[in-house]
Amino acid sequence: MKITGFETFIVPPRWLFLKIETDEGISGWGEPVVEGKAHTVQAAVEELMDYVIGQDPQRIEDLWQLMYRGGFYRGGAILMSAIAGIDQALWDIKGKIYNAPVYQLLGGACRNSMRVYSWVGGDRPIDVVKAALEKKAAGFTAIKMNASEEMQFIDTHDKIYAIVERVAAIREACGPEFGIAVDFHGRLHKPMARGLARELDPYRLMFIEEPVLPENNEVLREIAHHTSTPIATGERMYSRWEFKNLLKDGVVDIIQPDLSHAGGITECKKIFAMAEAFDVAVAPHCPLGPIALAACLQVDATSYNAVIQEQSLGIHYNQGNDLLDYITDPSVFAYSDGHVHIPSGPGLGITVNEEYVRKMAEDGHRWRNPVWRHRDGSIAEW
């Protein structure tokens, strides 16, 4: 079998899909995208496919190494996301060849379902209590919310109090067993992050996420001294080499690699295994589309330390189109008691509605993340 061609589809709300074709009529789908840089990743996919066309799609490890090591300049969000989507599509093809879900090809499942959480509150967290209660009523057992809006290096403590009040209100409304994760989103810097982590400690959060930007991960050690809340990070880290020092430093409790950013199924399976050796849990990042979620669940199924999965149904970014719109059988992602069953169909376990993909690709998108500024006019972290 040989790879003969590929197509990319920029589809709303902010996604990029990839279809890889073979000379035996078996095709596979992947989701290579950086949110806000879909066209850039699309170009990177086109360049990397020069290495892949004409190759045997079953030699996934070799093709991964070729795409990664074949270039003198490597790594980073764009190249690793392009590799990720190609890798997902190759695994989808291989599963279809053997009429088996990807998790069977990775050694088989160690769980039948995966706990999932849902987003509430939007970029600027509002009405979080109402939204959390709605998610609980819908069967979710955990939610995640953004902590704050703009935050200066040194800011007023009323912003800290407002965050604490929101979290306290959710805890009171939803009960002690309900999972609450607070995403600092890299918006805070060390002086404010340290204090906020301490103030949130009494509310027994599931985790705090990206308390500082990943380029400042050395600060996590200091933050860990001020809280017993599990610390999570990793959505903006793209390879096992980036996670290596984070794990060695012993300052993180949960890592969050994104299977559409961190090299795909092949690389993330290795990252998950590295984390297990350090007794660190995994909660994969995935505010993306159905192909990305299916890829996550296939690896989750085989990874003992995978504890909860992000998913984008109803997320504030999904304006106009949502998670289930691009697959023929939405029931594959039916959530029950805060869990979703692992897709068991061939490959990634989903069937992409190609007709609808092609229709929506005619509209495409040019999604960009918001650009925020502080009151003094300087750029704020979003």
Side-chain angles (χ1 to χ4, degrees):
M1 183 181 292
K2 301 294 182 185
I3 296 168
T4 55
F6 71 98
E7 293 180 88
T8 54
F9 305 91
I10 291 179
V11 296
R14 57 178 192 159
W15 303 332
L16 173 65
F17 294 166
L18 165 69
K19 180 184 180 184
I20 293 180
E21 299 170 327
T22 69
D23 59 358
E24 295 188 18
I26 298 175
S27 59
W29 290 84
E31 192 168 335
V33 69
V34 172
E35 299 92 306
K37 297 290 187 292
H39 291 82
T40 310
V41 179
Q42 182 184 44
V45 168
E46 292 175 355
E47 291 179 334
L48 286 171
M49 286 301 296
D50 288 344
Y51 294 95
V52 176
I53 295 292
Q55 301 290 330
D56 179 355
Q58 295 201 65
R59 292 176 58 85
I60 298 174
E61 180 67 30
D62 182 63
L63 291 175
W64 195 98
Q65 299 294 344
L66 174 62
M67 290 186 289
Y68 182 82
R69 299 184 190 276
F72 184 77
Y73 298 101
R74 58 188 68 165
I78 301 303
L79 292 177
M80 295 304 288
S81 297
I83 290 174
I86 295 170
D87 180 80
Q88 292 168 2
L90 295 177
W91 278 106
D92 195 29
I93 289 170
K94 191 157 191 172
K96 291 171 181 175
I97 291 171
Y98 292 98
N99 194 32
V102 167
Y103 69 77
Q104 292 287 21
L105 306 181
L106 294 175
C110 65
R111 58 173 51 87
N112 300 319
S113 64
M114 189 67 190
R115 190 183 182 197
V116 292
Y117 66 83
S118 190
W119 265 90
V120 299
D123 274 342
R124 300 180 181 273
I126 57 173
D127 296 330
V128 289
V129 175
K130 177 184 176 183
L133 286 170
E134 289 173 350
K135 297 300 183 183
K136 184 176 181 180
F140 289 97
T141 62
I143 57 92
K144 186 168 79 175
M145 57 178 278
N146 275 317
S148 70
E149 301 179 307
E150 299 92 335
M151 190 77 78
Q152 281 277 20
F153 268 86
I154 301 294
D155 216 317
T156 58
H157 282 275
D158 63 320
K159 291 187 178 181
I160 299 292
Y161 297 145
I163 296 166
V164 173
E165 287 177 1
R166 285 192 290 269
V167 172
I170 295 176
R171 175 57 71 216
E172 182 177 359
C174 294
E177 80 291 345
F178 193 71
I180 305 171
V182 176
D183 188 356
F184 289 32
H185 217 250
R187 293 173 183 171
L188 281 74
H189 300 274
K190 180 174 68 171
M192 304 302 292
R194 184 175 54 204
L196 178 57
R198 182 178 60 246
E199 293 290 339
L200 290 175
D201 212 34
Y203 300 99
R204 298 295 181 260
L205 301 181
M206 187 165 59
F207 56 81
I208 56 174
E209 178 175 334
E210 269 197 340
V212 292
L213 291 166
E215 51 261 45
N216 298 323
N217 274 344
E218 69 278 359
V219 176
L220 295 178
R221 181 175 299 281
E222 185 174 346
I223 292 173
H225 288 320
H226 292 269
T227 181
S228 61
T229 302
I231 294 174
T233 194
E235 70 184 69
R236 288 186 270 190
M237 299 172 68
Y238 309 112
S239 73
R240 76 199 91 146
W241 295 281
E242 293 189 34
F243 281 95
K244 178 174 62 174
N245 288 332
L246 179 70
L247 294 169
K248 285 171 60 179
D249 288 345
V251 295
V252 68
D253 304 290
I254 304 166
I255 60 166
Q256 300 171 297
D258 188 310
L259 273 83
S260 280
H261 299 329
I265 291 171
T266 298
E267 182 70 354
C268 284
K269 176 63 176 172
K270 297 173 183 178
I271 295 170
F272 287 24
M274 284 174 57
E276 185 181 1
F278 287 89
D279 207 24
V280 169
V282 179
H285 181 255
C286 188
L288 295 170
I291 304 170
L293 178 58
C296 287
L297 292 172
Q298 294 296 325
V299 182
D300 290 338
T302 71
S303 303
Y304 180 75
N305 56 332
V307 293
I308 197 165
Q309 176 62 57
E310 182 174 27
Q311 54 81 42
S312 75
L313 186 64
I315 199 170
H316 47 288
Y317 304 120
N318 291 357
Q319 300 296 320
N321 285 97
D322 213 326
L323 175 66
L324 306 179
D325 293 345
Y326 291 99
I327 54 178
T328 60
D329 180 13
S331 69
V332 72
F333 293 136
Y335 303 134
S336 177
D337 296 324
H339 286 70
V340 63
H341 283 285
I342 308 299
S344 58
L348 296 179
I350 60 171
T351 301
V352 173
N353 186 337
E354 185 171 339
E355 180 180 356
Y356 188 72
V357 168
R358 292 184 180 279
K359 175 184 176 183
M360 298 310 295
E362 294 176 3
D363 296 332
H365 70 81
R366 292 190 69 83
W367 187 87
R368 298 292 184 266
N369 63 253
V371 176
W372 290 357
R373 290 182 181 270
H374 296 295
R375 290 181 61 184
D376 64 6
S378 61
I379 293 290
E381 296 288 353
W382 170 75

